Every structure is written in structure tokens, then in C-alpha cells.
Amino acid sequence: MVLSAADKSNVKACWGKIGSHAGDYGTEALERTFCCFPTTKTYFHHFDLSHGSAQVKAHGQKVADALTQAVAHINDLPNALSALSDLHAYKLRVDPVNFKLLSHCLLVTLACHHPAEFTPAVHASLDKFFSAVSTVLTSKYR
Amino acid sequence: MDAGQVEKAQSLGLLTGTDSLCPAVLFSPLRLLVVYPWTQRFFQSFGDLSSADAIMGNSKVKAHGKKVLNSFSDGLKNIDDLKGAFAKLSELHCDKLHVDPENFRLLGNVLVCVLAHHFGHEFNPQVQAAFQKVVAGVANALAHKYH
């Protein structure tokens, strides 16, 4: 699946609107993921996962910052995410199925907070973008 | 699903039957065709599906979407026996319609996104978790009779 020019434009516009809330949304998406798909918590057994946890907040900000970088380099995701790709392949080894779960919860979070932006076409573009990021992050797994 | 989660899901009115079916929800099947275009394979005879606007305005798709959501809502009246409630529909989707059950999961997730879009902050993580269980239950029930 390839990101079209329209997809890239939709993603940039939507992410631009998010602005400084990206960290909050990253945190909320993680919280939703842990709540809806409890198996994902296995990767964070060392975290305090209660609501408002500073560790989850920090991690949410990390996820958001990485996505902001990805948006900024949307024409070359493999290079932009190379270090993160290595990290996930050789150290974290998060099972690929979990990227879909977090991506879904990112979509839900954005739908909640930005209903005007979350049109069907933008929804499609965001889904493709998260899918493309996930593919890069799991590309060195084997 | 435990009683508390059923209540959370009901609090958004989705489970109270066709009369209360939130109009926004009816757009889920249309959104499915936009977000996952390969799902259009089942609707070749439905006319213009060439763009997001064409799909969202297509009256045949809208009518079919309403049918699908009404079945979903009716089935949910038997939330403790979803496999029984959807048995006949499961056979139909396997034997006559030849629909890959993965499509039920895709529709379920689009429905969750539409609910989030419509209800905003009310659709908190706990409510989302309840609905994820509902849509997963329905998708599994619809896939149950496949052979």
C-alpha cells in the first residue's frame, strides 16, 4: 500500500491541527490500547499503568514525537524511522499484531478530539499512514 | 461481557434497538468502503463507488448499510448468546455471500471509530473497551458457522 499525494496532504494537515496536543493524544491512545486490549500490557509490566501515570504520559509523548517526525519525513519513512526500526526488531520485539491495535486506538483518539477533521477520506489516509509506519517498524524483524 | 460493561455500552444507546440506533452509526458501512476499498468487491452492482463523496452519497450503499446495522442491533438484543443470534446470518455469509470474516472485524473497528467521532469525550477508554468486546463478539459469531 502506497501513500498517495492526497494521503500525505491529509496526514500533514491533520497532524498540523493537532499541534501541541500530540503528546496528550499519544498518552490517551496508549491508555485506550491497554484498556481495550489487555494483552498489550504484557510489554509494560514494569510500568505503573494506572490512569494519569507519569510513565505512560512520558511514553505517550515519545510515541507522539516519533509520529511527528514520521509526518515531517513522510516521503522517506524507512530512513526517518531507521533507528526506531532497529530498536523494535532487536530489542523491544513487540509482536507485529500490536501495531494494529495501537494504530486503531490512535484513530479513535483523533476521531474523539477532532471530529471536523476526521472525514472518511482523512480517516482512510491516517489508517494508511499508521499502517506504513508499522510496516517500517517491523521491517527488520526477520 | 460483564453487566457493568453492558451498561456502559447501553449508555450510548447503541444496544437499545433499531428505534434508538444513532443515525451517525448508519454511516459506518459507507465509511468501511472508503477506508478499506477492497471491501467494495461485494458491491460491484451498487453504482458509483469511484470516490469518497460518491460512496457516502450512494443511496444503494446507504440502504444496505442500514440493513446491516439493523441486523447488528437486533442481534445485540441477545448479547448473552451472540452465536445463536447470528447463526443463520453466519451461514448466509459463508454459503451464499462468500464474505471473508476479516471483513466483519474491519466493519467492527470502523463502527468503533464512528462512535468515537460522534460521541467525542463521552467515548472514553472504558466505553471503548465495552464496544470492542461487543464488535469482537459479533464478528466471531458471524464467523462461527464458516466451514
Side-chain angles (χ1 to χ4, degrees):
Chain A
M1 284 187 253
V2 169
L3 293 172
S4 68
D7 289 326
K8 291 176 188 176
S9 166
N10 284 340
V11 169
K12 280 183 181 283
C14 187
W15 209 258
K17 281 256 153 63
I18 285 167
S20 56
H21 292 292
D24 293 333
Y25 297 165
T27 304
E28 183 177 326
L30 280 174
E31 196 181 330
R32 286 180 183 276
T33 308
F34 298 144
C35 188
C36 297
F37 309 108
T39 53
T40 56
K41 295 191 292 188
T42 55
Y43 294 96
F44 296 91
H45 53 87
H46 53 298
F47 266 34
D48 163 21
L49 295 180
S50 58
H51 179 65
S53 152
Q55 285 175 309
V56 177
K57 200 169 170 198
H59 199 71
Q61 185 68 57
K62 258 194 201 171
V63 169
D65 290 345
L67 287 171
T68 300
Q69 272 299 294
V71 173
H73 297 93
I74 203 164
N75 290 315
D76 189 9
L77 290 176
N79 264 328
L81 298 173
S82 180
L84 268 179
S85 179
D86 288 341
L87 182 72
H88 283 81
Y90 305 125
K91 185 149 182 255
L92 302 177
R93 289 175 288 192
V94 173
D95 190 282
V97 75
N98 295 286
F99 292 95
K100 279 198 183 171
L101 303 178
L102 177 58
S103 296
H104 171 66
C105 289
L106 279 162
L107 288 175
V108 171
T109 302
L110 293 176
C112 280
H113 290 281
H114 292 271
E117 277 73 42
F118 201 74
T119 61
V122 169
H123 177 172
S125 297
L126 285 168
D127 193 58
K128 283 174 80 174
F129 170 67
F130 294 140
S131 178
V133 168
S134 302
T135 297
V136 170
L137 291 179
T138 56
S139 61
K140 297 173 191 171
Y141 272 36
R142 57 177 173 174
Chain B
M1 262 177 76
D2 61 54
Q5 287 180 312
V6 172
E7 276 161 20
K8 281 182 191 118
Q10 281 175 327
S11 70
L12 291 189
L14 184 64
L15 299 186
T16 55
T18 55
D19 295 3
S20 310
L21 203 59
C22 162
V25 159
L26 293 173
F27 286 105
S28 307
L30 290 91
R31 221 176 239 251
L32 177 74
L33 268 52
V34 173
V35 179
Y36 304 110
W38 55 90
T39 58
Q40 293 169 24
R41 69 189 299 282
F42 303 106
F43 304 102
Q44 315 273 28
S45 62
F46 274 42
D48 186 7
L49 301 178
S50 59
S51 67
D53 286 340
I55 291 168
M56 298 309 286
N58 185 307
S59 55
K60 275 190 175 173
V61 177
K62 253 187 219 170
H64 188 74
K66 196 166 178 183
K67 204 170 158 186
V68 168
L69 264 309
N70 282 338
S71 289
F72 181 90
S73 178
D74 282 344
L76 290 184
K77 288 171 184 161
N78 300 292
I79 196 130
D80 293 322
D81 180 25
L82 289 175
K83 291 195 167 111
F86 286 102
K88 287 233 144 48
L89 271 176
S90 180
E91 285 170 4
L92 176 76
H93 281 79
C94 174
D95 299 331
K96 295 260 149 58
L97 304 177
H98 312 294
V99 175
D100 180 348
E102 182 59 25
N103 291 284
F104 309 141
R105 288 169 197 110
L106 290 178
L107 177 58
N109 278 341
V110 169
L111 177 57
V112 167
C113 285
V114 167
L115 289 170
H117 185 226
H118 185 74
F119 289 105
H121 298 109
E122 252 185 281
F123 199 70
N124 63 37
Q126 288 70 32
V127 174
Q128 184 192 345
F131 273 102
Q132 295 292 166
K133 283 199 170 181
V134 169
V135 300
V138 172
N140 287 340
L142 280 170
H144 189 64
K145 292 285 192 177
Y146 272 61
H147 58 92

